Amino acid sequence: MYARKSLLILLLSFSALSCCRAQQDSVLVERLLERGKREATQPLHLWYARQFLGTPYVGQTLEVNPQEQLVVNLRQLDCTTFVETALALALTHRQGSTHYAEYCRNLARIRYRDGRLNGYPSRNHYFTQWIDSNGRQGIVRERQTFPNIMTETQTLDLHYMSQHPQFYPMLKNDTAHQHRIRRYEQECLGRTVRYIPRAQLNQRRSSALGKSIHDGDILAIVTRKDGLDTSHIGFAQWGSDGRLHLLNASQIHKKVVLEPMTLYQYMGKHPSQLGIRVIEVLP
């Protein structure tokens, strides 16, 4: 009897804590949108992104439920949820709304395949799929041409998730989910994408690079790691030093930062990082 009472108290306490956190997030969303109406500058998504400077980095913030649900957490961010949060706030702002429910609808549009939550596999797990889904919805567009900049191509062979389901709590014991993930991976097989190699990033804002990359562009770091396409994302920001930097939820700094190192210096410390794909956020 005592054990059952203790378990009930624990469950009620957890439920109360979850409700409290959800309320915190809804209040924060609406306060940010109200403030944005008065203060936000263009590009909107970059203004909202800057409001999260100092927010703690926490990995796997979406892996908190036994089944896929829309997770809203503005108190802890990883590199992808940071970008998604800023974009969802900007979309809601442009729609003239300050309501939490509208923000949630926009977050689901961005996070899930063609904006529809249909189980764990419907989340845009690979960033190529994220770009494709949000491109079809008119939210972003990948930049394909870079005048006077040497580019390279990556041939996609996405298979990391289907070959390592044990690393994903909602995937490891669900063969149906594994089959769907593999089907989505195969949709990209053999496709080539263009990126700016790391060696080209050591240019000043006045250069060809500065004409091709703008403040607020999403930069996706291309990786050589087998089975993956990208390893990290953030927003482009040209620094006062005239060099390109990354505004990101940083695992290294354990918070959202404008990386003090230039992007060229940062990538030089990570040999598996090949270069960047550039994604424009559409107005």
Side-chain angles (χ1 to χ4, degrees):
M1 179 66 73
Y2 177 78
R4 283 201 295 271
K5 281 185 177 179
S6 297
L7 178 60
L8 180 60
I9 291 170
L10 181 63
L11 290 172
L12 289 173
S13 299
F14 179 78
S15 177
L17 181 61
S18 297
C19 290
C20 180
R21 287 173 175 168
Q23 186 175 29
Q24 286 177 339
D25 287 314
S26 65
V27 169
L28 182 54
V29 164
E30 295 192 351
R31 283 179 178 170
L32 279 169
L33 289 166
E34 288 286 356
R35 187 173 157 216
K37 283 172 61 177
R38 301 187 303 270
E39 301 177 17
T41 55
Q42 296 292 337
L44 284 174
H45 63 279
L46 187 56
W47 185 86
Y48 281 109
R50 289 170 178 152
Q51 308 317 302
F52 292 97
L53 285 167
T55 299
Y57 173 96
V58 177
Q60 296 188 314
T61 54
L62 303 186
E63 316 304 325
V64 294
N65 300 305
Q67 300 295 327
E68 185 71 14
Q69 298 176 31
L70 180 69
V71 172
V72 178
N73 185 350
L74 284 76
R75 297 159 283 102
Q76 303 166 319
L77 298 167
D78 63 26
C79 67
T80 302
T81 60
F82 169 57
V83 168
E84 290 178 338
T85 297
L87 288 185
L89 286 165
L91 279 175
T92 308
H93 179 124
R94 286 203 294 268
Q95 292 161 356
S97 174
T98 58
H99 295 141
Y100 179 67
E102 193 64 34
Y103 166 82
C104 290
R105 280 191 285 271
N106 284 318
L107 184 62
R109 278 182 70 194
I110 293 165
R111 182 169 293 164
Y112 294 100
R113 186 180 175 95
D114 297 322
R116 293 188 291 273
L117 195 169
N118 181 24
Y120 178 77
S122 68
R123 199 193 304 169
N124 295 312
H125 294 283
Y126 293 95
F127 205 64
T128 295
Q129 296 169 337
W130 191 100
I131 296 167
D132 289 347
S133 174
N134 285 289
R136 287 190 293 267
Q137 297 181 81
I139 297 171
V140 302
R141 177 173 55 216
E142 184 163 14
R143 204 160 288 142
Q144 301 289 339
T145 58
F146 303 95
N148 302 313
I149 299 175
M150 184 194 75
T151 60
E152 296 182 9
T153 58
Q154 177 191 40
T155 301
L156 298 177
D157 180 9
L158 305 177
H159 58 258
Y160 189 85
M161 291 184 70
S162 61
Q163 290 192 7
H164 302 91
Q166 70 274 16
F167 297 152
Y168 303 91
M170 282 187 271
L171 191 60
K172 63 182 179 180
N173 296 318
D174 194 318
T175 56
H177 280 4
Q178 292 172 25
H179 289 320
R180 275 181 69 193
I181 289 289
R182 185 59 188 144
R183 188 168 75 248
Y184 293 156
E185 290 173 337
Q186 289 177 323
E187 289 177 354
C188 299
L189 183 63
R191 184 170 140 198
T192 59
V193 295
R194 189 163 297 279
Y195 68 92
I196 301 174
R198 182 174 59 197
Q200 296 291 307
L201 299 177
N202 194 25
Q203 298 184 36
R204 302 191 68 84
R205 190 171 192 171
S206 56
S207 69
L209 190 71
K211 295 178 174 63
S212 291
I213 298 178
H214 310 130
D215 283 343
D217 284 343
I218 300 169
L219 303 182
I221 296 179
V222 177
T223 182
R224 68 170 79 248
K225 188 167 184 177
D226 186 49
L228 294 176
D229 49 358
T230 62
S231 60
H232 190 55
I233 63 171
F235 292 110
Q237 187 165 327
W238 289 94
S240 57
D241 57 1
R243 303 288 182 174
L244 185 61
H245 294 254
L246 192 67
L247 176 62
N248 71 123
S250 169
Q251 188 174 14
I252 296 170
H253 296 284
K254 305 299 182 187
K255 60 184 177 181
V256 175
V257 296
L258 177 61
E259 175 55 54
M261 288 186 289
T262 68
L263 184 58
Y264 174 76
Q265 292 169 332
Y266 170 86
M267 291 181 65
K269 295 181 178 295
H270 300 86
S272 64
Q273 297 179 349
L274 302 175
I276 57 169
R277 295 167 67 179
V278 182
I279 299 92
E280 175 186 4
V281 178
L282 299 177

